[in-house]
Amino acid sequence: MAQRNLKILIAGGGIGGITALLALRQRGIEAELFEQAAAFTQVGAGLQVSGNATRILRRLGLGDALARVAYYPEGRDYRAWDTGDRLYYTPLGERAEARFGAPYYTAHRADLLDVLLGGLGRQGFRLGARIERFDQDADHVTLTLADGSTATGDILIGADGIHSTVRGQMFGKELPRYTGNVAWRGLLPAERVAHLDVAKVTGVWMGPNRSIVQYYVAAGRTFNWIGISRSEQPARESWLAEGRVEDALAEYSGWHDTIRTIIAATPKLLRQALYDREPLPDWRAGRVVLLGDAAHPMMPFYAQGAAQSIEDAYVLAGCLAANSADPVAGLGRYVELRQPRTAWMQDLSRREEELYQMNDATAIAERNARMRTNRIPESATFPPEQERLYGYDAEAVLTTGASLGAR
């Protein structure tokens, strides 16, 4: 078949959707993004941008912009909830960058979105564009928007999140699974924790039925924490769902003074339910395909939601570029390359919840004994899961045709 020009439609203006637009544009493919909000929503809190994602952002020309707004932690420090004793340590910073060939950052979601939007410019998207439905035939897919207007292209990418409208039409409406956990999220000025001598690390505190992860964002100006707690009563699933400091302190009663001081110093708290879904056997329906949380929402214990969306976007763009004469075949190749890795990541994130939040005293003692073999920063090594996760090179996957990091 002869090569031809493609037109790609993208539903959703989050991290995955915007990255897909940038990656397609870099490969010379026309794309248009449709976001239902009147503006790109710069909400949220901290997130971690591991080397598997920063490698891609560098290839998209965003490395310098990201470095200016992110934080560069030296390591990941796992501690006991009550005593604060270090149980485990894995290197980040220069050692991780040398090992995996790309930096590991922590950042505010709004800052990462700003970096992506800076690469996007002022074209290629429509705001206030709520999708009502899609229709497809053998050659095209057409979107119908809430205002009655339509848009037609060769492929539709559903990057519209865990409550994806596109996914619902593809596979039927299905409620996501409540994971049995709620998340407390807080941001506070870095000077409020200066007296605590909080290390320049991603801190992980593990306790019975709950955990806390903490790190700096905004180039070190802001301190971010997320506390995850098992709860039979789900909270609202919204970036606007506020919680009360006194309730968070009650939730983390008996925890180390460092944790309780950080919670008490937080000016505003969010309390949100955490949901995920079972892995799908396929992400396609004809000329329509899913990426990111629309395809594989996962628990946050490996901090890979944003990173996996970025990987999806880059690999999908590459597969479409390599199959411009038969884009449906390109979708098949994308799913073949990406689905095993994200299913592994979903499962790993669920298993990590039990590792962090187990409550059986014997199991905790056994876990702690295992973990203490890797707690000296100078000699700490990267566990196999991190080797597989952070060493993933999306460009190499496209070049070799092998799903590296998915095995």
Side-chain angles (χ1 to χ4, degrees):
M1 290 185 189
Q3 298 288 304
R4 65 185 181 87
N5 296 327
L6 294 177
K7 170 67 180 292
I8 310 299
L9 309 177
I10 303 170
I15 290 168
I18 298 173
T19 304
L21 180 52
L22 291 171
L24 289 163
R25 183 183 292 175
Q26 187 182 68
R27 294 178 184 272
I29 299 175
E30 181 185 1
E32 186 174 13
L33 183 149
F34 300 83
E35 166 56 42
Q36 67 177 352
F40 289 111
T41 51
Q42 294 172 314
V43 297
L47 48 75
Q48 300 182 53
V49 194
S50 47
N52 46 310
T54 58
R55 182 180 291 108
I56 292 169
L57 297 176
R58 282 179 163 184
R59 288 198 172 112
L60 294 175
L62 304 176
D64 290 344
L66 179 61
R68 285 193 292 269
V69 300
Y71 187 75
Y72 191 61
E74 296 173 352
R76 184 179 288 109
D77 210 4
Y78 298 78
R79 294 187 176 270
W81 67 283
D82 47 358
T83 64
D85 290 344
R86 175 183 289 144
L87 301 175
Y88 196 74
Y89 185 93
T90 56
L92 293 175
E94 293 180 356
R95 285 184 60 190
E97 186 166 0
R99 176 69 185 88
F100 302 116
Y104 190 112
Y105 292 127
T106 52
H108 194 291
R109 183 184 183 277
D111 289 337
L112 176 57
L113 191 62
D114 277 342
V115 168
L116 294 169
L117 292 173
L120 198 59
R122 298 182 178 275
Q123 59 183 359
F125 58 87
R126 290 174 58 180
L127 298 172
R130 184 165 63 84
I131 295 169
E132 290 285 343
R133 72 174 194 276
F134 66 82
D135 298 281
Q136 61 176 318
D137 56 29
D139 300 310
H140 298 97
V141 58
T142 299
L143 290 179
T144 299
L145 305 181
D147 64 5
S149 64
T150 62
T152 298
D154 296 283
I155 295 293
L156 169 62
I157 300 172
D160 48 344
I162 190 171
H163 297 293
S164 169
T165 298
V166 174
R167 176 177 173 142
Q169 185 175 339
M170 291 169 73
F171 301 120
K173 293 191 180 298
E174 164 211 1
L175 292 176
R177 180 189 79 105
Y178 174 55
T179 65
N181 289 269
V182 297
W184 298 87
R185 299 181 190 268
L187 291 163
L188 59 160
E191 56 265 25
R192 294 196 182 183
V193 300
H195 66 291
L196 298 175
D197 192 28
V198 177
K200 298 178 180 179
V201 297
T202 297
V204 180
W205 298 69
M206 300 182 296
N209 294 316
R210 52 190 58 83
S211 57
I212 280 188
V213 176
Q214 59 187 39
Y215 47 82
Y216 291 96
V217 298
R221 296 187 302 274
T222 303
F223 194 73
N224 171 88
W225 65 272
I226 171 175
I228 300 178
S229 176
R230 292 173 176 169
S231 174
E232 294 182 0
Q233 299 297 321
R236 288 176 57 203
E237 187 198 2
S238 167
W239 284 114
L240 305 177
E242 291 193 25
R244 300 191 310 167
V245 169
E246 54 266 40
D247 292 337
L249 286 171
E251 190 82 48
Y252 288 89
S253 175
W255 277 56
H256 194 273
D257 284 346
T258 295
I259 293 300
R260 294 183 56 77
T261 301
I262 290 169
I263 294 173
T266 304
K268 178 182 176 181
L269 280 181
L270 300 178
R271 184 177 184 270
Q272 305 153 321
L274 293 178
Y275 291 84
D276 67 1
R277 293 184 188 271
E278 298 298 331
L280 285 169
D282 201 347
W283 303 341
R284 300 166 299 163
R287 292 179 170 270
V288 185
V289 72
L290 303 173
L291 70 71
D293 283 352
H296 48 72
M298 57 190 64
M299 296 180 74
F301 288 96
Y302 249 88
Q304 281 294 298
Q308 293 303 307
S309 295
I310 291 168
E311 287 184 11
D312 283 353
Y314 193 84
V315 172
L316 177 54
C319 289
L320 288 172
N323 293 272
S324 62
D326 186 1
V328 174
L331 300 187
R333 186 62 176 140
Y334 155 71
V335 174
E336 182 180 273
L337 291 175
R338 292 296 303 154
Q339 199 275 344
R341 178 167 166 87
T342 58
W344 167 71
M345 195 67 251
Q346 285 178 289
D347 179 64
L348 188 62
S349 297
R350 287 184 178 181
R351 287 190 282 118
E352 200 78 348
E353 189 264 350
E354 174 57 24
L355 178 72
Y356 281 22
Q357 303 187 159
M358 60 178 59
N359 57 22
D360 177 79
T362 301
I364 290 171
E366 292 174 350
R367 177 200 67 189
N368 292 355
R370 290 194 310 271
M371 296 184 78
R372 287 192 177 101
T373 61
N374 199 67
R375 64 173 176 171
I376 301 172
E378 293 74 21
S379 60
T381 58
F382 301 101
E385 294 84 0
Q386 290 185 16
E387 294 277 356
R388 178 174 167 182
L389 179 56
Y390 304 146
Y392 181 89
D393 186 332
E395 187 62 44
V397 166
L398 290 167
T399 302
T400 64
S403 185
L404 301 177
R407 294 182 296 276

